[in-house]
């Protein structure tokens, strides 16, 4: 009797499979819309506050997905439905660029030739301090060196520099010197083999 109750709790969903599918799809769609309204910044998790919100959000909608169901099978069905819904959305967005732009949005320019684009930063709720911190994490110390900084659709901030960084210049200089050394070694080897041929 005890074993049969255990098997029932484990393998028999507390709600119908149809209800589980509908719940999962509705919550998935709602979260896509909610995150789109919240903006790209939330996806990028630029602050600890954004991370806390995302973690709490997953816990908040858990019961909406599983309903009155603690079974293993019910949880697996919910997971499969979420993965399938995500796969379907990704395929639709891949083939329909307009839908992709509507859901994902477009990139936002935050810095242009070293100047902050305050209007775009205000729309995306990103402060100068947050942007400078993101730049420092990528090894950029001066915003004047940035040609373009963009907030990408996935929430990441990318930077393009006006000119190579000091590190890139140093690497280029090292590569040039190594090429010269290789050329000189090649000449020395060639002249050594010519002298051996003469003797």
């Amino acid at each position: 009797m005890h074993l049969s109750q255990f098997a029932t709790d484990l393998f028999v969903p507390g709600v119908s499979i149809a209800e589980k599918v509908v719940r999962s799809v509705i919550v998935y769609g709602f979260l896509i819309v909610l995150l789109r309204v919240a903006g790209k910044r939330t996806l990028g998790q630029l602050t600890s506050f954004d991370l806390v919100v995302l973690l709490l959000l997953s816990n908040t909608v858990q019961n909406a997905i599983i309903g009155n169901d603690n079974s293993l099978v019910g949880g697996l069905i919910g997971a499969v439905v979420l993965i399938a819904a995500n796969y379907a959305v990704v395929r639709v967005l891949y083939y329909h660029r307009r839908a992709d732009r509507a859901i994902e949005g477009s990139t936002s320019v935050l810095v242009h030739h070293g100047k902050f684009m305050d209007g775009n930063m205000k729309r995306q709720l990103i402060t100068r301090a947050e942007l400078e911190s993101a730049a420092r994490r990528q090894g950029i110390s001066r915003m004047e060196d940035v040609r373009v900084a963009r907030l990408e659709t996935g929430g990441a901030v990318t930077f393009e520099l006006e000119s190579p960084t000091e590190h890139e210049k140093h690497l280029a200089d090292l590569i040039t010197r190594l090429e010269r050394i290789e050329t000189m070694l090649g000449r020395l080897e060639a002249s050594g083999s010519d002298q051996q041929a003469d003797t």
Side-chain angles (χ1 to χ4, degrees):
M1 180 67 182
H2 199 40
L3 187 60
S4 114
Q5 181 61 43
F6 174 75
T8 301
D9 292 343
L10 199 60
F11 297 113
V12 178
V15 297
S16 71
I17 293 176
E19 181 182 339
K20 175 81 64 184
V21 170
V22 170
R23 282 173 172 269
S24 299
V25 169
I26 288 173
V27 170
Y28 177 81
F30 174 76
L31 287 178
I32 284 180
V33 171
L34 187 65
L35 289 173
R36 176 70 178 97
V37 170
K40 297 185 284 279
R41 170 208 165 95
T42 305
L43 296 175
Q45 299 176 11
L46 295 180
T47 68
S48 55
F49 302 111
D50 298 326
L51 179 59
V52 168
V53 167
L54 289 176
L55 289 173
L56 290 175
L57 187 61
S58 66
N59 196 41
T60 302
V61 299
Q62 176 185 349
N63 288 341
I65 291 176
I66 63 173
N68 188 21
D69 183 8
N70 291 320
S71 69
L72 173 67
V73 171
L76 295 178
I77 290 170
V80 167
V81 170
L82 288 175
I83 295 295
N86 188 62
Y87 178 77
V89 167
V90 168
R91 282 192 69 84
V92 167
L93 297 182
Y94 180 79
Y95 290 110
H96 303 284
R97 288 293 173 208
R98 284 187 185 168
D100 184 34
R101 268 184 251 114
I103 292 176
E104 292 280 344
S106 58
T107 61
S108 301
V109 175
L110 305 175
V111 176
H112 190 259
H113 293 293
K115 294 183 179 162
F116 291 97
M117 308 298 288
D118 292 321
N120 290 348
M121 291 174 65
K122 187 175 182 181
R123 271 191 293 282
Q124 299 300 333
L125 301 175
I126 294 179
T127 65
R128 289 187 179 205
E130 289 171 334
L131 193 55
E132 288 167 348
S133 173
R136 284 193 299 275
R137 283 195 300 270
Q138 295 190 29
I140 301 166
S141 56
R142 296 172 1 115
M143 295 306 287
E144 293 83 11
D145 297 335
V146 176
R147 179 160 41 102
V148 178
R150 293 184 186 88
L151 180 63
E152 303 292 346
T153 55
V157 179
T158 57
F159 296 89
E160 292 177 21
L161 299 178
E162 293 280 7
S163 59
T165 62
E166 287 302 317
H167 180 68
E168 290 171 333
K169 288 178 185 174
H170 182 66
L171 282 177
D173 184 46
L174 282 175
I175 290 169
T176 303
R177 290 180 184 198
L178 284 172
E179 287 172 348
R180 284 187 200 149
I181 291 170
E182 286 177 350
T183 304
M184 290 171 65
L185 286 173
R187 287 181 188 155
L188 285 173
E189 287 175 2
S191 68
S193 24
D194 288 346
Q195 286 176 355
Q196 285 180 352
D198 291 342
T199 58

